[in-house]
Amino acid sequence: MHWITLAQLTATRALLSGRIHTTPTLAIETPTLGQIYPNTEFFFKMEQWQKGGTFKIRGALTRLLTTEPAPLGVTAASAGNHAIAVGLAAREIGIPAHLCIMNTASPLRVKMAEATGAQVELFEPGPQAYQAAQAIAEEKNYLFAHPFDGSAVTQATATIAAEMIEQSGGLDAIFVAIGGGGLSGGLAAGGKLLHPKLKVFGVEPRGANTMQQSFAAKQAVRSDQINTIADSLGTPMTTDYCYQINNDLLDHLVVVEDEDICAAMAVAEQDLKLAIEPAAATALAGLIVHADHFRPHLAHKKVGVLICGSNIDASTFAGYIERGLKRMTAPSTWLRRPPDLAFALAFLRQTGIQYGA
């Protein structure tokens, strides 16, 4: 099945041109990955520098600009990042937005959503925010913008793969984090359209492994047991559409623990000089933690890693970095190899974190 055509991909790129940032894909040699994958070249797609701090603006704008008739307004439910993107997209095209955000969302994200000029309401975790957003859409005749489902999201996130391939001069594989599956499905669809031999590897937090459960059940499932620091990936469900596209196009899926994600955040800060949120470190965590599996397949290859967002406050970031550094100094639980203790301890001294307290 063809999930996207070249004409659709080209049209979506033209639609978004001038409305979003064309974020760079940078070839960076990192000490950590260099030790683990000595014969692999890595390229990092810096989508954390996108408008709104994540890739989400691509899907929000595409949905609003391709809906006919043009929506009178838009509503959305979110843990924060999707709401920010929908608010920005609504402001861009001049329509009102009513955003339903879970009250467990980072206060930083709530403020960013409010700064778009949208009306923002907070709800208890669970289905309440989705139900409220859908009710508002019906009452006001607004468009309900789903955070990850549908062909508009596929076409929007496919543009990321197209940029990565062009900016890197071609890739053999891409690692991407999975929440509901819209990002991974679209990236795989666009990437394999342009380069059929491209491998796409998905990474989920173990505490929000809805796609892994769906693969095991051979159908989309819902999970009421979501528990991960990567709240942007913490959707309690996937959809039939997202299950099908990921099942069709993903080459492999792995899961990682929250402590692995914290360690990957520390690696990103030290090696890449990036302060990123847990969801954005999840793909990197999978690449590192499951090196024994991936190393034989990635030797002498060009590998892309999508850094998908950066919406995290400084205090929370510092706490996760501390957890990550402790993980890195516990060889029995991370990497299955002796860690670079000198690096970890030097970084502890550099940041002023008191290790072992």
Side-chain angles (χ1 to χ4, degrees):
M1 178 176 180
H2 295 289
W3 293 95
I4 186 174
T5 66
L6 184 59
Q8 289 173 323
L9 177 56
T10 301
T12 305
R13 296 187 72 181
L15 184 73
L16 296 177
S17 179
R19 296 180 183 271
I20 65 169
H21 299 317
T22 301
T23 56
T25 301
L26 303 179
I28 303 177
E29 295 182 7
T30 77
T32 302
L33 292 180
Q35 290 180 18
I36 305 171
Y37 297 93
N39 300 309
T40 302
E41 191 174 3
F42 289 97
F43 296 80
F44 296 87
K45 177 61 168 172
M46 303 298 188
E47 199 67 359
Q48 83 284 357
W49 293 334
Q50 187 56 261
K51 290 183 178 181
T54 74
F55 72 96
K56 287 283 190 177
I57 188 66
R58 295 177 187 258
L61 271 172
T62 301
R63 182 68 192 280
L64 293 185
L65 291 169
T66 58
T67 296
E68 295 182 354
L72 302 175
V74 61
T75 183
S78 170
N81 284 339
H82 177 59
I84 295 166
V86 170
L88 289 172
R91 187 175 69 186
E92 169 75 15
I93 66 174
I95 62 173
H98 193 146
L99 308 175
C100 302
I101 301 178
M102 299 174 197
N103 62 12
T104 53
S106 162
L108 171 68
R109 294 180 189 170
V110 175
K111 290 180 180 178
M112 290 176 68
E114 291 172 338
T116 68
Q119 182 178 349
V120 174
E121 288 189 73
L122 300 181
F123 294 85
E124 292 293 326
Q128 293 92 329
Y130 281 89
Q131 293 168 355
Q134 291 171 326
I136 292 165
E138 184 174 346
E139 175 188 347
K140 295 185 176 182
N141 197 26
Y142 280 8
L143 171 70
F144 172 68
H146 197 282
F148 54 84
D149 190 52
S151 59
V153 175
T154 297
Q155 293 167 31
T157 51
T159 65
I160 301 174
E163 291 174 13
M164 293 179 73
I165 291 169
E166 288 180 2
Q167 293 168 339
S168 65
L171 293 170
D172 298 296
I174 297 177
F175 281 75
V176 57
I178 298 180
L183 171 61
S184 54
L187 188 144
K192 289 174 182 278
L193 173 71
L194 299 173
H195 184 9
K197 293 184 178 180
L198 178 75
K199 302 295 184 184
V200 179
F201 302 118
V203 187
E204 278 188 307
R206 188 174 299 280
N209 63 332
T210 310
M211 191 62 70
Q212 185 189 52
Q213 293 181 43
S214 297
F215 284 178
K218 300 188 184 321
Q219 63 180 353
V221 303
R222 180 180 182 88
S223 174
D224 295 324
Q225 303 296 322
I226 300 298
N227 182 21
T228 178
I229 62 169
D231 53 349
S232 302
L233 306 178
T235 175
M237 61 182 179
T238 187
T239 62
D240 289 338
Y241 176 90
C242 286
Y243 161 72
Q244 290 168 7
I245 190 172
N246 281 276
N247 187 59
D248 189 24
L249 297 179
L250 278 190
D251 292 282
H252 194 63
L253 185 152
V254 297
V255 298
V256 293
E257 307 291 344
D258 278 0
E259 300 308 308
D260 299 327
I261 296 172
C262 289
M265 291 174 68
V267 170
E269 203 285 340
Q270 177 68 9
D271 289 12
L272 304 176
K273 312 306 178 188
L274 297 178
I276 56 177
E277 63 181 272
T282 298
L284 179 60
L287 182 64
I288 295 172
V289 174
H290 294 279
D292 288 348
H293 171 82
F294 289 117
R295 190 183 297 109
H297 306 287
L298 301 181
H300 307 289
K301 303 294 185 182
K302 295 173 66 176
V303 177
V305 182
L306 176 57
I307 307 296
C308 58
S310 58
N311 291 335
I312 185 169
D313 63 89
S315 176
T316 303
F317 177 76
Y320 290 157
I321 292 294
E322 182 174 8
R323 286 172 62 178
L325 290 170
K326 291 179 179 179
R327 179 69 148 188
M328 293 170 70
T329 56
S332 63
T333 58
W334 205 60
L335 300 185
R336 302 194 198 100
R337 67 177 182 85
D340 187 346
L341 295 178
F343 152 66
L345 294 174
F347 186 61
L348 283 165
R349 290 192 293 270
Q350 174 187 330
T351 56
I353 296 172
Q354 298 300 310
Y355 175 68

